[in-house]
């Protein structure tokens, strides 16, 4: 009701405002304009052309959806459709359905931010267009990390679902809302990591599925570059992938090179796993219509021909095996397949175990890794860490914050623990599809298609795990004694110190000839001394002599290096449970069988002060027996040595008795008495400084020396 | 009597010795010296006059040494310790049995932070007089300064035998055991000293410190409070009280005590550092920085305050300031292990991998176990 005193002025005011509003079109609500003749009376030809284009675009979108349903790369179809739709939009920008189609194409071709204005316009032009438009709008907001608007629009979509749309969209919306909730939680508590794009490796094209050697000196990955073998493109307008390799030298990664040796062909070639010692490689390749896993071994400097992994309920099937991983002890192969076998849907993770270690090619029936890890959604990548108890994998399920995320689980008491999302910013709302982790656990190499200022394809990123926050020590002093001027020091801790380390030792180096210093191709046997079992055998590279073994903690390892025409070499690594990660570099020199040559038997153990052989010595004694057996003219002297603590006469007697114990063992096994002499040297022949504890340990030893051949 | 004889014979000698007497006795036999001057004297008379000469000489030397000794005391009064030492050196050279000079020189050596020399000097004093209480006290002090606590305890033991009524040697013996690390024995002696002198506040403070080292904080608290109630004017006792509360987790009371200590002595930088540490643990960084800065203002050569302030800056993400403070702490004390450990952590957060590994290497060599763990995991390449 108008106030009597101001009636004139306010009436004029309101009329003026209304008049202005009526004049300005932007303030008027736009109307939805259909592509009908009645709306475009003078542009009938133009309209016809545009409708044809839209039909073409619709067909492209259809094929795009088919690729999407098969979890294949699909952006190209949608991009092509966009070109056509945009032309139509130029003709008639006020059609709700067209705006919706453009918006959804933008979302499906990784241009989610640009989609928002189109989708908002679509719902503004016609709020009742369909339920789907709200779904896409929500997705666009989600990829833009605007979770509030994303959730709002998902819920609007849910309300507007009609008929059988509910069946299709309800579960999708439920999943999306879960992902939004997960995303907000993870972003609020970021993981202590650095994530950096590996510019040295990446290109403007897709670079993905990197695999790093245990010591991070070599990395292999796949890329879709124009210079690839064959140079042709797939259905998604991308070059067929080739495998590339780069080495870390002098503080930087070398320029990636296409791997030679016939590993690459003119179709998709993908490396999926590199063994810890970088001498074996798993590849995935099309094999008569479906993907299978192949193995190649490095002989010298050449990668050998591909061998297909076992078929028919073992590993490879007529379905797609797309990824694989070595286990640390080479007893199992883990892989990803879309076979319907015991599958919850999409792809799942399985493993297969060696049947007989002597015949390396035989693998047993495949088993699922279990429902703790597999989900009804897709798993893309699996990686078993050389520590023997940690698994990393990528999945769209669990509490993913969008697309594929990386998860980690630990083997405890015969079961896999509940997978843990590695958190933001390792994971994002985009796809983190592949992962490979260094032996030290410090670095992970992931593949992600997050927005990076580039074209939105896949790139390789390196994650550095910082571990728990390291507390600093605060320092304090007080005058504790009244009569003194000097102060007494005290330090206080903020909180207990936690170190998040992997429990394994990596031993690497070269096997070389002692005199010529040339590389030797040798077998390196890793033995569990307690169980008297060979855990695995690796080989040094014939050209470089290089070798690398990962030894999970908790075992007393005997390392024996064996090569024809050489004396065996013995080393001991007794790793207590939970001992921290360490990298040991050691070149090992092998001696030819020669008079006067000595070998220290580091895997022969006695109790303190006694001369009875401990059972863990058996593997080493067997090696010695075998040597004497193989070379029947060999005569050796077994000698005992001690450090310089305690009485010399006791030391002499003890060292003599210990040598005798070894000789007795060999004689009992059938070696002629006159071939094995025993002698005790006490502390008279030290090989290290008796002043240090380490030196004394080195001096306490049993040796054998060749007297005759 | 001696002087009388000297007087008589000196008159005689005067008449017989116009020729200058060669005062250096070396190179001539006693008989020769006078005989060459006056062959009328008998051998006895010659020997006698030579002994006079020697006596005169001795007197002269004695006088010279006494003069030097007195000058040394003068120097000491003027706090010119180097000169004092030189003068006492002279006095001792002239008179090698000058016990008082040894004693004084020993005291000067302590002032000059040279306890080893002090011990040698006091040895001489005590050799001459095994009951020399001052000598024993000071030698014990010198032993403590060189870390030889057992020898100090031996001296204090001797003193307890000599000074049966005094609590001083008993109390100091307690301190020697404390420094040796035998806190239970220390407590025993502190208690004994209290039997001799009931209201000795220092003993209560030291008892409190001993129990604190044994982690028996309740008893420490009672003792400390008793000490303060007897002598409320000692700020270091109030500061110690604060630290005991801190160990017990009663941060409010600790803060109160530290603030009280500061109030009693606004130049007590230890208390500022302690109070700042509590603020630091409570994540009250601005107040922590204020206190550490005040400690630095009072004592710019106090590396601990720089270390702690650096931690506060680090928590506030002021990384440049944190680095500058750690650098300063290490400059002031190149063996400051904690500062290397902490600076390593700072460098790691700034992605200076070489720097952090190098700092942790140094900290490991200086004995910090945590640094070794960090090295193994983070720097193993």
């Amino acid at each position: 009701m108008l106030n009597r005193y101001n009636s004139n002025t306010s009436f004029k005011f309101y009329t003026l405002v209304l008049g202005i509003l009526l004049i300005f079109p932007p303030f008027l609500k736009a109307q939805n304009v259909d592509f009908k003749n009645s709306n475009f009376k003078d542009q009938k030809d133009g309209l016809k052309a545009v409708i044809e284009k839209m039909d073409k675009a619709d067909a492209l979108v259809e094929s795009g959806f088919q690729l999407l349903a098969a979890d294949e790369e699909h952006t190209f179809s949608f991009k092509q459709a966009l070109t056509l739709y945009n032309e139509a939009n130029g003709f008639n920008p006020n059609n709700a359905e067209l705006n919706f189609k453009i918006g959804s194409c933008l979302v499906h071709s990784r241009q989610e931010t640009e989609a928002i204005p189109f989708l908002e316009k679509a719902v503004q032009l016609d709020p009742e267009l369909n339920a789907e438009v709200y779904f896409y709008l929500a997705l666009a907001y989600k990829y833009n990390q605007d979770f509030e608007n994303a959730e709002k629009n998902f819920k609007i979509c849910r309300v507007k679902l009609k008929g059988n749309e509910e069946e299709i969209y309800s579960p999708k919306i439920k999943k999306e809302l879960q992902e939004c909730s997960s995303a907000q939680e993870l972003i609020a508590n970021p993981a202590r990591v650095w994530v950096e794009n590996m510019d040295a490796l990446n290109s403007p094209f897709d670079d993905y599925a990197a695999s790093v050697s245990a010591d991070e000196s070599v990395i292999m990955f796949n890329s879709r570059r124009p210079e690839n073998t064959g140079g042709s493109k797939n259905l998604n307008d991308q070059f067929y992938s080739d495998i590339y390799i780069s080495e870390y030298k002098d503080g930087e990664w070398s320029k990636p090179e296409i791997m030679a040796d016939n590993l690459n062909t003119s179709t998709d070639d993908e490396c999926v796993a590199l063994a810890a010692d970088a001498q074996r490689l798993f590849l995935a390749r099309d094999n008569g219509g479906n993907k299978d896993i192949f193995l190649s071994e490095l002989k010298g400097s050449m990668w050998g021909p591909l061998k297909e992994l076992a078929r028919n309920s073992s590993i490879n099937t007529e379905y797609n095996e797309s990824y694989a991983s070595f286990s640390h002890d080479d007893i199992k192969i883990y892989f990803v397949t879309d076979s319907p076998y015991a599958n919850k849907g999409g792809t799942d993770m399985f493993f297969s175990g060696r049947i007989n270690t002597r015949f390396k090619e035989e693998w047993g029936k495949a088993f699922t890794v279990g429902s703790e890890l597999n989900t009804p959604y897709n798993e893309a990548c699996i990686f078993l860490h050389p520590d023997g108890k940690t698994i990393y994998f990528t999945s769209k399920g669990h509490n993913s914050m969008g697309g594929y995320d990386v998860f980690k689980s630990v083997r405890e008491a015969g079961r896999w623990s509940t997978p843990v999302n590695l958190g933001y910013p390792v994971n994002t709302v985009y796809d983190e599809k592949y992962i490979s982790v260094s032996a030290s656990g410090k670095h992970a190499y992931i593949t992600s298609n997050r927005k990076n200022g580039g074209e939105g394809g896949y790139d390789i990123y390196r994650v550095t795990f910082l571990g728990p926050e390291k507390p600093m020590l605060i320092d304090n002093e007080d005058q504790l004694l009244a009569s003194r001027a000097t102060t007494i020091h005290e330090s206080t801790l903020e909180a207990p110190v936690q170190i998040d380390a992997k429990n394994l030792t990596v031993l690497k180096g070269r096997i070389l000839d002692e005199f010529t210093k040339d590389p030797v191709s040798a077998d390196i046997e890793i033995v569990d001394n307690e169980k008297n079992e060979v855990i695995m055998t690796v080989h040094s590279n014939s050209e470089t002599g290089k070798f690398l073994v990962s030894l999970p903690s908790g075992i007393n390892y005997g390392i024996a290096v064996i090569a024809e025409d050489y004396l065996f070499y013995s080393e001991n690594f007794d790793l207590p449970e939970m001992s921290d990660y360490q990298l040991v570099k050691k070149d090992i020199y092998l001696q030819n069988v020669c008079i006067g040559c000595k070998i220290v038997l580091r895997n022969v153990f006695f109790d303190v002060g006694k001369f009875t052989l401990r059972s863990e010595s058996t593997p080493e004694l067997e090696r010695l027996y075998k040597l004497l057996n193989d070379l029947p003219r060999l005569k050796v002297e077994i000698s005992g040595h001690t450090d310089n603590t305690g009485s010399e006469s006791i030391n002499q007697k003890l060292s003599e008795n210990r040598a005798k114990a070894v000789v007795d063992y060999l004689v009992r096994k059938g070696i002629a008495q006159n071939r094995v002499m025993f002698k005790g040297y006490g502390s008279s022949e030290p090989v290290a400084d008796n002043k240090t504890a380490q030196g004394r340990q080195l001096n306490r030893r049993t040796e054998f020396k060749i007297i005759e051949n | 009597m001696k002087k009388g004889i000297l007087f008589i014979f000196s008159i005689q000698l005067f008449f017989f010795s116009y020729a200058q007497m060669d005062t250096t006795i070396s190179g001539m036999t006693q008989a020769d010296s006078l005989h060459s001057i006056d062959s009328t004297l008998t051998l006895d008379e010659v020997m006698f006059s030579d002994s006079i000469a020697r006596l005169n000489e001795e007197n002269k030397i004695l006088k010279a040494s006494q003069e030097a000794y007195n000058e040394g005391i003068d120097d000491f009064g003027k706090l010119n310790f180097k000169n004092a030492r030189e003068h006492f050196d002279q006095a001792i050279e002239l008179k090698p049995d000058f016990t008082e000079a040894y004693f004084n020189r020993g005291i000067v050596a302590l002032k000059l932070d040279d306890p080893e020399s002090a011990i040698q000097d006091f040895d001489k004093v005590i050799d001459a007089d095994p009951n020399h209480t001052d000598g024993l006290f000071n030698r014990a002090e010198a032993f403590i300064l060189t870390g030889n606590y057992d020898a100090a305890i031996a001296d204090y033991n001797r003193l307890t035998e000599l000074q049966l009524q005094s609590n001083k040697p008993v109390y100091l013996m307690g301190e020697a055991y404390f420094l040796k690390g035998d806190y239970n024995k220390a407590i025993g002696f502190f208690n004994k000293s209290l039997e001799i002198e009931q209201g000795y506040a220092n003993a209560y403070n030291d008892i409190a410190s001993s129990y604190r080292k044994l982690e028996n904080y309740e008893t420490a608290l009672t003792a400390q409070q008793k000490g303060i109630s007897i002598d409320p004017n000692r700020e270091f006792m109030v500061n110690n009280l604060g630290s005991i509360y801190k160990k017990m987790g009663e941060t409010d009371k600790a803060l109160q005590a530290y603030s009280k200590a500061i109030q009693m002595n606004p130049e007590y930088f230890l208390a500022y550092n302690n109070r700042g540490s509590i603020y630091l643990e409570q994540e009250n960084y601005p107040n922590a920085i204020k206190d550490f800065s005040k400690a630095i203002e009072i004592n710019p050569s106090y590396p601990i305050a720089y270390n702690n302030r650096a931690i506060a800056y680090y928590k506030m993400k002021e990384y440049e300031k944190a680095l500058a403070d750690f650098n300063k702490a290490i400059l002031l004390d190149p063996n400051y292990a904690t500062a290397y450990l902490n600076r390593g952590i700072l460098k790691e957060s700034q992605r200076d991998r070489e720097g952090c590994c190098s700092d942790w290497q140094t900290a490991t060599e200086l004995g910090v176990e945590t640094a070794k763990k960090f090295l193994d995991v983070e720097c193993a390449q």
Side-chain angles (χ1 to χ4, degrees):
Chain A
M1 191 139 153
L2 295 170
N3 187 314
R4 286 192 91 220
Y5 293 103
N6 295 327
S7 55
N8 268 339
T9 27
S10 46
F11 184 68
K12 277 189 193 156
F13 178 72
Y14 284 126
T15 326
L16 193 60
V17 169
L18 195 60
I20 293 169
L21 279 175
L22 283 168
I23 292 168
F24 274 83
F27 282 94
L28 292 172
K29 201 166 173 215
Q31 299 283 44
N32 189 13
V33 177
D34 283 331
F35 284 90
K36 281 196 304 216
N37 280 333
S38 47
N39 288 329
F40 297 95
K41 288 183 190 125
D42 341 309
Q43 297 163 290
K44 286 212 181 117
D45 291 329
L47 177 66
K48 189 165 169 224
V50 149
I51 291 179
E52 266 174 35
K53 287 193 177 148
M54 288 197 295
D55 287 338
K56 268 196 201 149
D58 287 344
L60 285 164
V61 165
E62 201 36 60
S63 51
F65 277 121
Q66 278 173 1
L67 288 168
L68 179 61
D71 201 32
E72 305 262 359
E73 287 305 310
H74 47 268
T75 52
F76 185 59
S77 304
F78 289 102
K79 279 187 184 150
Q80 287 180 308
L82 262 174
T83 323
L84 295 163
Y85 284 136
N86 275 327
E87 286 183 41
N89 195 52
F91 188 82
N92 170 14
N94 294 317
N95 180 272
E97 198 181 357
L98 180 58
N99 274 290
F100 157 61
K101 285 182 179 173
I102 292 176
S104 67
C105 281
L106 284 167
V107 167
H108 284 303
S109 56
R110 301 250 110 100
Q111 298 168 76
E112 301 89 354
T113 317
E114 290 89 333
I116 293 177
F118 286 99
L119 294 166
E120 285 288 10
K121 188 164 184 191
V123 306
Q124 183 256 307
L125 287 170
D126 181 1
E128 300 306 316
L129 175 64
N130 53 35
E132 238 186 313
V133 63
Y134 294 97
F135 186 80
Y136 277 99
L137 188 52
L139 272 184
Y141 278 121
K142 178 182 132 183
Y143 280 110
N144 224 24
Q145 295 200 185
D146 180 349
F147 299 107
E148 211 183 293
N149 272 323
E151 282 172 343
K152 179 176 119 187
N153 282 292
F154 280 127
K155 288 176 182 161
I156 296 176
C157 173
R158 191 163 54 187
V159 163
K160 290 194 189 291
L161 290 172
K162 287 186 216 135
N164 67 347
E165 280 181 336
E166 276 211 45
E167 232 182 272
I168 303 171
Y169 276 93
S170 246
K172 279 195 198 182
I173 291 175
K174 183 168 173 212
K175 175 91 170 86
E176 290 291 344
L177 286 171
Q178 277 170 347
E179 289 182 2
C180 285
S181 162
S182 182
Q184 286 171 92
E185 213 182 286
L186 292 170
I187 290 175
N189 296 303
R192 284 173 47 80
V193 295
W194 289 315
V195 180
E196 43 195 347
N197 185 297
M198 300 204 70
D199 310 292
L201 303 179
N202 290 324
S203 68
F205 306 92
D206 272 359
D207 306 282
Y208 62 103
S211 293
V212 72
S213 64
D215 60 356
E216 295 179 84
S217 60
V218 172
I219 194 167
M220 290 183 196
F221 64 99
N222 311 304
S223 188
R224 299 186 181 283
R225 301 184 188 192
E227 58 260 37
N228 284 359
T229 318
S232 41
K233 291 186 175 184
N234 62 14
L235 289 172
N236 198 39
D237 193 42
Q238 291 176 303
F239 292 99
Y240 284 108
S241 65
D242 268 1
I243 303 173
Y244 283 73
I245 184 169
S246 167
E247 284 180 29
Y248 194 76
K249 275 192 200 132
D250 301 324
E252 54 179 28
W253 289 100
S254 63
K255 183 169 181 298
E257 281 177 12
I258 296 183
M259 289 193 71
D261 310 330
N262 300 317
L263 288 182
N264 287 311
T265 65
S266 52
T267 52
D268 268 350
D269 305 287
E270 294 171 334
C271 69
V272 298
L274 186 58
D277 63 359
Q279 314 242 50
R280 282 167 302 146
L281 186 62
F282 280 146
L283 304 96
R285 196 187 263 184
D286 184 273
N287 193 22
N290 63 83
K291 252 190 190 170
D292 277 339
I293 307 291
F294 292 81
L295 168 71
S296 170
E297 289 170 302
L298 185 64
K299 304 266 188 242
S301 58
M302 289 273 297
W303 285 94
L306 269 59
K307 294 182 218 168
E308 201 186 313
L309 292 183
R311 296 196 71 86
N312 297 329
S313 88
S314 290
I315 299 171
N316 285 324
T317 64
E318 67 261 37
Y319 301 93
N320 292 306
E321 284 67 46
S322 51
Y323 212 86
S325 172
F326 297 89
S327 71
H328 78 287
D329 51 7
D330 214 20
I331 287 181
K332 293 197 188 83
I333 292 183
Y334 289 79
F335 58 97
V336 175
T337 176
D338 64 4
S339 122
Y341 230 133
N343 203 319
K344 281 195 188 179
T347 51
D348 263 1
M349 301 180 285
F350 285 77
F351 70 89
S352 162
R354 253 185 223 285
I355 288 183
N356 187 333
T357 45
R358 289 209 199 282
F359 301 101
K360 291 181 183 175
E361 306 305 321
E362 246 192 275
W363 296 93
K365 182 174 183 311
F367 290 95
T368 169
V369 299
S371 50
E372 294 113 347
L373 306 183
N374 282 324
T375 68
Y377 304 93
N378 283 352
E379 282 69 46
C381 160
I382 187 169
F383 177 83
L384 274 292
H385 191 268
D387 72 351
K389 59 185 187 192
T390 314
I391 188 173
Y392 295 85
F393 64 97
T394 61
S395 169
K396 286 189 174 180
H398 298 293
N399 62 337
S400 164
M401 57 187 273
Y404 286 102
D405 271 4
V406 185
F407 296 87
K408 172 175 139 170
S409 166
V410 178
R411 192 95 184 148
E412 287 164 349
R415 294 183 65 241
W416 289 110
S417 63
T418 309
V420 170
N421 189 308
L422 288 196
Y424 176 82
V426 181
N427 289 320
T428 64
V429 294
Y430 293 92
D431 292 314
E432 281 66 44
K433 203 164 178 190
Y434 303 102
I435 180 167
S436 171
V437 183
S438 70
S440 64
K442 191 82 185 122
H443 295 132
Y445 296 82
I446 62 171
T447 301
S448 169
N449 59 5
R450 65 189 70 181
K451 288 286 193 281
N452 191 37
E455 288 187 16
Y458 282 101
D459 266 357
I460 298 170
Y461 293 81
R462 188 171 82 162
V463 177
T464 305
F465 296 102
L466 292 175
E469 184 150 356
K470 295 181 173 75
M472 290 189 170
L473 283 187
I474 307 177
D475 223 350
N476 289 102
E477 276 188 335
D478 287 320
Q479 286 178 292
L480 287 171
L481 291 178
S483 74
R484 310 214 60 79
T486 49
T487 46
I488 315 260
H489 243 82
E490 283 182 341
S491 284
T492 51
L493 254 162
E494 276 183 272
V497 176
Q498 276 177 306
I499 311 280
D500 204 16
K502 296 287 182 195
N503 308 124
L504 78 161
T505 296
V506 172
L507 169 68
K508 77 172 195 179
R510 295 171 303 166
I511 314 284
L512 305 169
D513 182 304
E514 166 130 89
F515 295 106
T516 65
K517 313 288 184 226
D518 286 336
V520 175
S521 174
D523 281 344
I524 300 151
E525 254 182 23
I526 318 292
V527 176
D528 180 333
N529 280 335
E530 232 157 291
K531 291 192 186 160
N532 190 10
E533 260 175 30
V534 176
I535 297 175
M536 60 175 150
T537 307
V538 301
H539 312 277
S540 61
N541 184 290
S542 54
E543 250 189 41
T544 61
K546 281 189 187 172
F547 72 94
L548 187 151
V549 285
S550 332
L551 306 170
S553 310
I555 297 182
N556 181 339
Y557 291 99
I559 316 282
V561 182
I562 300 165
E564 222 177 286
D565 295 332
Y566 288 95
L567 291 178
F568 71 82
Y569 173 92
S570 154
E571 186 74 57
N572 177 264
F573 276 89
D574 191 352
L575 300 178
E577 195 82 50
M578 303 306 286
S579 53
D580 292 334
Y581 172 78
Q582 54 169 339
L583 175 67
V584 178
K585 291 190 214 174
K586 185 165 185 166
D587 284 340
I588 294 176
Y589 293 93
L590 297 180
Q591 302 178 56
N592 272 308
V593 176
C594 56
I595 314 282
C597 284
K598 281 191 223 180
I599 296 289
V600 180
L601 300 168
R602 293 235 168 264
N603 288 296
V604 168
F605 308 105
F606 299 91
D607 282 325
V608 175
K610 301 220 168 56
F611 51 87
T612 28
L613 286 159
R614 290 173 62 117
S615 57
E616 297 94 305
S617 317
T618 310
E620 185 100 305
L621 293 167
E622 285 298 310
R623 273 194 287 277
L624 191 51
Y625 165 67
K626 185 172 184 303
L627 179 72
L628 287 162
N629 223 7
D630 288 345
L631 303 170
R633 292 205 317 257
L634 206 63
K635 289 192 180 167
V636 300
E637 176 196 88
I638 310 287
S639 57
H641 303 261
T642 65
D643 61 30
N644 69 347
T645 53
S647 126
E648 186 50 37
S649 63
I650 293 183
N651 280 343
Q652 202 283 327
K653 201 77 189 114
L654 180 66
S655 58
E656 192 180 280
N657 281 331
R658 283 179 169 179
K660 182 166 183 302
V662 174
V663 163
D664 285 345
Y665 180 96
L666 295 165
V667 166
R668 257 182 280 123
K669 291 217 78 157
I671 302 293
Q673 185 97 41
N674 69 342
R675 291 178 64 197
V676 283
M677 257 60 73
F678 64 89
K679 191 155 176 201
Y681 286 88
S683 63
S684 61
E685 289 192 3
V687 291
D689 188 353
N690 269 309
K691 288 199 215 97
T692 68
Q694 200 189 28
R696 287 195 291 276
Q697 192 187 28
L698 287 170
N699 287 333
R700 297 191 289 270
R701 68 200 188 279
T702 314
E703 284 182 356
F704 81 82
K705 184 165 77 176
I706 298 186
I707 320 177
E708 228 182 84
N709 188 6
Chain B
M1 163 88 153
K2 223 177 186 174
K3 281 189 178 162
I5 296 172
L6 255 173
F7 183 73
I8 294 164
F9 277 90
S10 65
I11 293 171
Q12 275 197 316
L13 272 164
F14 186 78
F15 290 127
F16 284 105
S17 60
Y18 277 113
Q20 46 280 67
M21 271 202 297
D22 196 345
T23 50
T24 55
I25 300 169
S26 60
M28 278 168 128
T29 66
Q30 291 181 359
D32 283 346
S33 54
L34 255 186
H35 207 73
S36 61
I37 298 158
D38 192 335
S39 51
T40 59
L41 296 170
T42 65
L43 194 59
D44 274 330
E45 285 163 339
V46 165
M47 280 173 71
F48 187 72
S49 55
D50 279 342
S51 70
I52 305 293
R54 199 174 63 250
L55 221 45
N56 267 350
E57 187 47 43
E58 281 172 14
N59 262 2
K60 200 166 172 191
I61 293 171
L62 177 67
K63 185 168 178 227
S65 88
Q66 284 173 333
E67 276 171 1
Y69 175 82
N70 288 340
E71 274 173 59
I73 293 176
D74 256 347
D75 288 330
F76 188 94
K78 292 186 200 145
L79 302 181
N80 193 340
F81 301 123
K82 281 193 98 177
N83 281 3
R85 172 142 68 180
E86 273 168 27
H87 279 124
F88 291 130
D89 284 343
Q90 272 173 10
I92 286 166
E93 198 188 355
L94 294 171
K95 186 171 168 19
D97 64 348
F98 201 162
T99 313
E100 292 86 343
Y102 280 113
F103 180 85
N104 285 359
R105 193 171 70 171
I107 301 288
V108 169
L110 286 177
K111 289 286 183 194
L112 287 172
D113 287 326
D114 185 0
E116 283 93 359
S117 307
I119 289 169
Q120 284 172 359
D121 282 340
F122 292 127
D123 280 344
K124 283 259 179 330
V125 172
I126 293 163
D127 283 344
D129 175 9
N131 294 341
H132 198 299
T133 48
D134 278 341
L136 285 164
F137 269 118
N138 283 298
R139 189 171 72 172
E141 172 69 19
F143 278 134
I144 287 188
L145 289 171
T146 57
N148 189 348
Y149 303 119
D150 287 326
I153 287 167
D155 277 351
Y156 287 133
N157 248 328
R158 182 94 192 91
L159 283 164
T160 53
E161 290 163 23
L162 293 172
Q163 298 203 324
L164 292 170
Q165 305 306 320
S166 165
N167 77 335
K168 193 164 170 219
V170 179
Y171 169 74
L172 288 174
M173 186 134 71
E175 290 206 336
Y177 273 115
F178 182 101
L179 288 166
K180 197 179 160 190
D182 191 340
Y183 302 115
N184 281 309
K185 273 229 174 72
I187 290 170
F189 281 101
F190 293 137
N191 277 326
K192 209 156 152 218
S193 85
L194 281 172
E195 285 170 29
I196 300 172
E197 183 178 326
Q198 268 83 349
Y200 194 38
N202 281 6
Y204 283 108
N205 175 77
D206 289 6
I207 288 172
S209 297
S210 309
Y211 277 114
R212 195 216 296 201
K213 282 289 188 184
L214 292 171
E215 296 182 15
N216 183 346
Y217 300 121
E218 307 285 348
T219 318
L221 188 64
T222 320
Q224 192 76 63
Q225 282 165 333
K226 178 81 192 214
I228 292 172
S229 71
I230 295 172
D231 187 353
N233 298 320
R234 317 293 290 288
E235 66 271 20
F236 74 89
M237 290 204 205
V238 176
N239 173 68
N240 287 347
L241 181 71
S243 296
I244 295 173
Y245 277 128
K246 186 174 172 207
K247 292 269 187 198
M248 292 169 77
E250 307 225 36
T251 44
D252 285 334
K253 293 198 177 140
L255 274 174
Q256 244 176 20
Y258 289 139
S259 299
K260 183 88 201 291
I262 289 169
Q263 199 186 44
M264 293 164 70
N265 176 6
E267 299 298 298
Y268 198 30
F269 60 90
L270 285 190
Y272 281 108
N273 181 60
N274 283 338
R275 191 173 70 177
S277 302
I278 296 201
Y279 285 134
L280 185 51
E281 281 171 22
Q282 289 180 330
E283 297 180 12
N284 185 343
Y285 303 123
N287 275 358
I289 289 174
K290 230 165 99 186
D291 273 347
F292 295 135
S293 301
K294 184 71 186 174
I296 288 169
E297 191 193 300
I298 298 169
N299 181 358
S301 307
Y302 190 43
I304 292 179
Y306 287 103
N307 172 72
N308 291 348
R309 192 171 69 174
I311 298 178
Y313 280 134
Y314 169 77
K315 292 286 189 184
M316 293 186 71
K317 303 200 194 297
E318 303 207 43
Y319 299 121
E320 276 176 27
K321 289 188 179 161
L323 185 62
D325 273 353
F326 281 134
N327 289 344
K328 182 74 183 190
I330 287 171
L331 188 65
L332 289 169
D333 180 1
N335 290 327
Y336 193 3
T338 304
Y340 284 107
L341 172 74
N342 292 342
R343 192 172 71 174
I345 295 174
L346 169 66
K347 286 185 179 175
E348 189 201 30
S349 78
Q350 299 306 293
R351 309 201 66 178
D352 175 4
R353 196 190 140 88
E354 261 187 58
C356 88
C357 291
S358 155
D359 275 348
W360 285 336
Q361 179 65 36
T362 313
T364 306
E365 284 162 20
L366 290 168
V368 182
E369 256 187 53
T370 315
K372 170 127 196 348
K373 275 193 151 188
F374 291 161
L375 266 186
D376 281 343
V377 175
E378 313 284 2
C379 299
Q381 240 181 16

